[in-house]
Every structure is written in C-alpha cells, then in structure tokens.
C-alpha cells in the first residue's frame, strides 16, 4: 500500500525525471553541480554504469536535486525561456516532406527544425482526480531549414530553403490511467499546433520563383498541415515513452487498485498517517487564564475525528503566467471533543468544576494557494472558504447553568454559523498568511530535496508552519 508521501514523491520525481533522464543520456557540453555548487564533469550514458569516478557517481546520485535546483534558478529570470534539462533536440530532424500545391510538386529533405527548445510555458493544468494534464507552450519563432526539389509542368528546380513560422502555440493534453496490472501508464495524448504567420524562402527557383513564392506564402496552412503530423508523431512517441519509463522507475513493484483513483488512495493513506503521527485523537494544551479575582482552567482537552477528512471537490494544480496555483476542497466527517473545566473566584475561595462534550457535524475548507515560480517570493493564500456543520454541546457541573449554556450554544451558533464563519474567514486568512510569510520556500524545498535523496520516503515531512 502506498502512502500519501510516496505518491507526492512519485509526482515530483516523474516530472523531474522526464527532464533529467535524457539530459544524462547526452554527451553535450552540460555542466552539473553538486550540493556544494562545485562544478563536475558531464556524464555520458555509455560511461554511467562502467565508470568508477566518484565525481560521476555523485552526479548520477544527485540528478534530482541538480534538475530541481536548475529549475529554481531558471525561474528567477525576468523572462524564463525553455527549461533546464528538457530533452528536446534543437535542431530536431524531421522526416522527408512531400506536398502538392496546385500544379507544383514539392519534396523537402534533410529538414531540421530550429527553436523548439526556446519555449515559454503559458499554462499547465493538472487534474489529480482524473490524472489529466493540459499544457500550452508558446514559441516566438520556429525555423525549418533543408533542401527541396520542386517540379512543375514547365520546370524543375532544387536548392536550400527556409521556412519561418512565428508565434507558434502548442496545446497538449495527456491522460494517465491505472491498467489491469496496477501500473499507471499513459492512456492518451493529444496535441495541436497553431501559428500566427509563416514565410517561406526557396532559393534557385528560376523563372517560376516569384509565382511559386506567392502561391506558397498564400497557402502556408497547406504546407504547415503537411509538416505538423510528422512533428507531432515524433513528439507523441517521445513523450509517451518518457512518461511511462519514469512512472515505471518511480513506482517500481508497487501497484494501485483500478477501483479507486490514486488521489483518493493517497488521501486514505494520509488519514492513516495523521493517526500514526498522534494527531487523532489530539490532546490540546491545558489553558489557564486569570482576570482579576476570576480564574478559568481547561484541562484534559481532546479532539477526535480530524483524520476523517476526505476530498470534497476536485484538487487541481495549475501554472499560469509563471505562478503555481493549487486549489482544493476538503471536508471532515463528525468531529468530537471534550474538556474538563474549572472556575474559581478569589484565588480558590469558591470553585466550580465540570465537564463539556461537543460534536461538530462536519467542517469543510476550500483553499486556493498561489506561489510564484520565482521562489524568492512568498506563497500567498489567495482564497479561503469555511463551512461549519451543526454544533451540539453537553455540559455538566454548573447546575442550572448547564441548561442555559446548552441552550445558548446549541441554538445560537447553529442559527448564525454561516455568519460566524464569514466573519472568521478574513482574520484566519490573515493569520495563516502571516505564518506563510515567515517561510523561505526556496530554502525549505532545497532542504527537503536533499533530505529525500539521503533518506527516501523515510525523510521527515514536517514543514515549518
């Protein structure tokens, strides 16, 4: 059975692993950093399993932190273009292209595409319940270069060509699913490419040059529609292979049931972890307060049921304009509590003690968090919505006052609980934001990545809230 912790690590390592795997399979002029930010030589796939060089072994061990640290530094730029370690060949070879425009037959060979690595991530939306990812990236310029041969009824020409495509927008959707063997694999990938303008230049066209240039530029959609399937075919195969390979490496021999979504399974494991960590039942610190001659003490206070949380709505993770947005709706089942109270007057001259039990039918929270990908900025609590279920209180020890307290608490808060929650939302949001402002997100993330590399899923996941 997988824990919630392992599932989140799976998500992180899968994303980072897609970037890292092919980077370490390359012998290009890459320079990697160790944890002390010292330069190490690049490593090639042919040497990875054979080399005894400690530096190369350290690079292989630290590739998750290397990639994540590289991404952190990348998004400190004003206009981050591309992404460190993404296995996109630039230039990328494209299979030979054959096209016909009117009476012109065009063959293009030795075609290379330039500019694919110069992309900007416009948006990414992840639906954790449905295991779906939707992404959109923009490329300012995409250039195709190669050699052509063109034949018409009257002439034949050949030579180099250049096609300039501007404002290219790529929209992609990927869906994962738990298959019969319990493994998560890519189920479906869909992509589409659109552009604003395209200009073509074919050299050595001869007498038909100006005529063909006019026809070709006016029929740019026809040329692009011929090229697009070839480019997408290469992308489909590469993306599917990378996702499935990294999922398999991350999941190892673990399996998931196909009767429940991995997200709900993670939440179920999270409930178990909350209980194992001693938060349900949870003992609240004793409370003492003195005001003049009056003193109040609350002791042996316990709350039960906080681990009964469940997914009330969807949980989404989005990236929009270089900002990470996490939205979730979580609810609990019945929460019960009890406390022993004591009131004294005149420093103990008169005392009264008793016991209180309360139940809350449910408690629901809707949260939207924003975190700039430039981690020097603090996280922001963008929205907080609270909903409290019916409240019931039972008192003893105060005599006739017990009935008065029960009447007041059981009727008034239930009649006004929506107004009470609305009034509490802003103060609670401000208090939470104050605590979040104290957290150095970049520092915490780097520490946790390094800790994960040392301890794996046995690491400490407590955060400094």
């Amino acid at each position: 059975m997988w824990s919630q912790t392992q599932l989140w690590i799976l998500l992180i390592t899968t994303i980072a692993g897609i970037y890292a795997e092919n980077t370490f399979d390359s012998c290009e002029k890459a320079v990697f950093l160790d944890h002390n930010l010292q330069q190490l030589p690049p490593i090639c796939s042919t040497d990875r399993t054979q080399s005894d060089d400690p530096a190369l072994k350290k690079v292989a061990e630290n590739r998750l932190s290397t990639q994540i640290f590289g991404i952190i530094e990348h998004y400190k730029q004003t206009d981050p273009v591309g992404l460190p370690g993404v296995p996109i060949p630039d230039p990328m070879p494209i299979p030979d292209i054959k096209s016909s425009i009117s009476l012109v037959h065009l063959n293009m060979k030795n075609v290379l595409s330039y500019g694919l690595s110069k992309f900007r991530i416009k948006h990414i939306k992840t639906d954790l319940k449905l295991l779906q990812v939707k992404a959109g990236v923009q490329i300012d310029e995409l250039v195709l270069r190669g050699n052509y041969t063109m034949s018409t009824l009257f002439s034949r020409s050949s030579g180099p060509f250049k096609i300039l495509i501007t404002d290219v927008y790529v929209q992609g959707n990927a869906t994962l699913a738990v298959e019969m063997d319990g493994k998560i694999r890519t189920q479906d990938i869909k992509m589409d490419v659109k552009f604003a303008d395209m200009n073509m230049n074919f050299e050595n066209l001869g007498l038909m040059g100006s005529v063909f240039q006019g026809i070709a530029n006016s029929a740019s959609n026809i040329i692009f529609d011929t090229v697009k399937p070839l480019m997408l075919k290469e992308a489909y195969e590469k993306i599917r292979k990378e996702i499935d390979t990294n999922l398999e490496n991350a999941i190892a021999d673990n399996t998931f049931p196909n009767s429940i979504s991995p997200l709900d399974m993670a939440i179920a494991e999270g409930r178990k972890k909350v209980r194992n960590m001693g938060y349900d039942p949870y003992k609240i610190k004793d409370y003492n307060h003195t005001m003049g001659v009056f003193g109040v003490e609350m002791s042996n206070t316990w709350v039960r049921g906080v681990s009964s949380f469940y997914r009330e709505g969807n949980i989404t993770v989005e990236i929009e304009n270089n900002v990470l947005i996490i939205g979730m709706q979580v609810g609990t089942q019945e929460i019960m509590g009890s406390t022993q109270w004591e009131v004294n007057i005149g420093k103990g001259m008169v005392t009264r003690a008793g016991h209180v039990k309360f139940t809350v039918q449910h408690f629901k929270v809707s949260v939207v968090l924003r975190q700039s990908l430039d981690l020097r900025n603090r996280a922001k609590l963008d929205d907080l919505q609270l909903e409290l279920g019916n409240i019931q209180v039972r008192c003893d020890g105060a005599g006739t006052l017990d009935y008065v307290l029960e009447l007041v608490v059981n009727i008034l808060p239930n009649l006004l609980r929506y107004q009470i929650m609305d009034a509490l939302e802003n103060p609670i949001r401000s208090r939470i934001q104050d605590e979040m402002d104290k957290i150095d997100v970049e520092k915490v993330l780097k520490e946790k990545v390094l800790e994960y590399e040392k301890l794996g899923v046995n690491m400490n996941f407590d955060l400094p809230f």
Side-chain angles (χ1 to χ4, degrees):
M1 185 66 70
W2 272 48
S3 68
Q4 183 189 36
T5 294
Q6 289 170 305
L7 288 170
W8 281 111
I9 289 176
L10 166 61
L11 177 62
I12 295 172
T13 54
T14 298
I15 295 172
I18 291 173
Y19 301 149
E21 190 69 27
N22 278 305
T23 303
F24 282 88
D25 284 340
S26 171
C27 291
E28 297 177 356
K29 296 180 180 178
V31 175
F32 301 97
L33 306 176
D34 71 357
H35 293 162
N36 296 319
L37 300 181
Q38 296 175 343
Q39 292 187 354
L40 294 173
I43 182 171
C44 299
S45 60
T46 54
D47 301 329
R48 192 188 318 178
T49 58
Q50 301 173 2
S51 175
D52 294 326
D53 188 337
L56 298 186
K57 287 184 177 180
K58 190 171 183 64
V59 170
E61 292 171 356
N62 298 342
R63 63 182 180 182
L64 175 61
S65 60
T66 300
Q67 293 301 313
I68 292 179
F69 292 176
I71 292 172
I72 290 174
E73 294 302 317
H74 174 73
Y75 276 102
K76 291 181 180 179
Q77 301 177 72
T78 304
D79 182 21
V81 177
L83 206 59
V86 173
I88 297 179
D90 196 354
M92 184 181 79
I94 296 177
D96 295 347
I97 302 169
K98 294 183 179 181
S99 181
S100 296
I101 305 175
S102 298
L103 299 178
V104 178
H105 300 283
L106 180 65
N107 292 334
M108 292 183 280
K109 296 182 179 181
N110 306 321
V111 183
L112 293 175
S113 172
Y114 297 82
L116 286 173
S117 63
K118 306 297 184 182
F119 62 88
R120 292 182 180 85
I121 297 176
K122 303 304 291 184
H123 72 87
I124 297 177
K125 183 173 183 179
T126 303
D127 188 320
L128 297 182
K129 176 188 174 184
L130 300 177
L131 292 180
Q132 291 181 344
V133 180
K134 298 180 179 179
V137 299
Q138 183 176 355
I139 302 172
D140 291 340
E141 290 187 350
L142 192 63
V143 179
L144 302 181
R145 294 180 182 271
N147 299 312
Y148 79 94
T149 300
M150 185 183 65
S151 59
T152 68
L153 293 176
F154 310 102
S155 64
R156 178 183 177 86
S157 58
S158 62
F161 74 88
K162 174 184 175 182
I163 299 177
L164 175 63
I165 310 171
T166 57
D167 290 335
V168 180
Y169 189 80
V170 182
Q171 176 72 44
N173 301 331
T175 303
L176 307 179
V178 180
E179 298 188 349
M180 295 300 294
D181 61 357
K183 299 293 186 179
I184 301 179
R185 296 188 180 91
T186 308
Q187 186 179 51
D188 187 32
I189 296 177
K190 294 181 180 178
M191 296 180 67
D192 191 23
V193 183
K194 299 179 180 179
F195 68 95
D197 192 22
M198 184 165 74
N199 291 301
M200 291 172 276
N201 181 30
F202 293 83
E203 298 183 18
N204 305 327
L205 282 175
L207 296 176
M208 292 295 294
S210 59
V211 177
F212 175 73
Q213 287 287 175
I215 296 174
N217 285 320
S218 64
S220 57
N221 283 319
I222 297 176
I223 297 291
F224 189 77
D225 289 342
T226 303
V227 177
K228 184 166 70 173
L230 300 173
M231 298 177 65
L232 294 183
K233 181 181 178 181
E234 295 290 323
Y236 286 153
E237 295 175 356
K238 190 171 187 63
I239 292 173
R240 183 185 297 274
K241 180 180 178 181
E242 291 297 330
I243 293 176
D244 289 345
T245 298
N246 284 277
L247 281 172
E248 186 172 349
N249 292 338
I251 294 173
D253 295 330
N254 296 280
T255 58
F256 297 86
N258 54 21
S259 58
I260 179 175
S261 73
L263 174 60
D264 290 330
M265 182 178 172
I267 293 174
E269 289 297 312
R271 291 196 289 265
K272 184 187 298 183
K273 187 173 182 64
V274 168
R275 292 191 293 269
N276 292 339
M277 293 174 64
Y279 293 126
D280 192 8
Y282 181 72
K283 188 177 187 302
I284 298 176
K285 291 182 179 180
D286 294 345
Y287 173 79
N288 290 282
H289 183 69
T290 301
M291 186 175 60
V293 296
F294 295 95
V296 177
E297 179 181 349
M298 300 179 69
S299 61
N300 200 27
T301 305
W302 290 88
V303 178
R304 298 171 178 83
V306 293
S307 66
S308 65
F309 58 86
Y310 61 93
R311 177 177 55 82
E312 174 68 19
N314 203 358
I315 296 181
T316 58
V317 180
E318 303 179 45
I319 294 178
E320 192 79 33
N321 297 324
N322 295 330
V323 175
L324 175 68
I325 306 169
I326 301 175
M328 64 180 71
Q329 294 175 302
V330 180
T332 70
Q333 299 179 12
E334 188 176 69
I335 297 176
M336 299 170 289
S338 62
T339 186
Q340 293 178 346
W341 59 268
E342 181 178 310
V343 177
N344 65 79
I345 302 175
K347 296 184 179 181
M349 296 180 59
V350 179
T351 62
R352 201 67 179 263
H355 190 262
V356 175
K357 291 183 178 180
F358 68 88
T359 60
V360 178
Q361 189 178 37
H362 66 260
F363 182 66
K364 298 179 181 179
V365 182
S366 177
V367 177
V368 178
L369 293 171
R370 290 178 178 266
Q371 170 63 59
S372 170
L373 295 183
D374 182 350
L375 298 185
R376 293 173 296 183
N377 299 316
R378 296 298 196 253
K380 298 296 181 184
L381 181 60
D382 199 50
D383 189 29
L384 176 67
Q385 301 292 329
L386 305 176
E387 180 181 328
L388 192 66
N390 189 56
I391 304 170
Q392 293 293 325
V393 174
R394 293 290 179 266
C395 306
D396 65 73
T400 307
L401 251 145
D402 290 334
Y403 300 103
V404 177
L405 290 173
E406 288 181 10
L407 183 65
V408 172
V409 174
N410 291 338
I411 293 179
L412 193 59
N414 288 321
L415 289 175
L416 302 176
R417 65 176 183 269
Y418 295 109
Q419 290 87 344
I420 293 172
M421 287 296 100
D422 287 342
L424 289 176
E425 282 171 3
N426 285 333
I428 292 175
R429 185 182 342 189
S430 297
R431 176 62 176 168
I432 295 174
Q433 186 62 62
D434 289 342
E435 294 301 315
M436 292 172 62
D437 288 341
K438 300 175 183 178
I439 300 174
D440 187 335
V441 180
E442 179 179 351
K443 179 182 177 182
V444 171
L445 179 58
K446 287 182 176 180
E447 289 175 350
K448 292 303 178 182
V449 169
L450 296 178
E451 188 177 348
Y452 168 71
E453 287 184 332
K454 292 179 180 179
L455 303 176
V457 296
N458 296 319
M459 65 179 284
N460 179 15
F461 279 86
D462 290 340
L463 297 176
F465 291 111

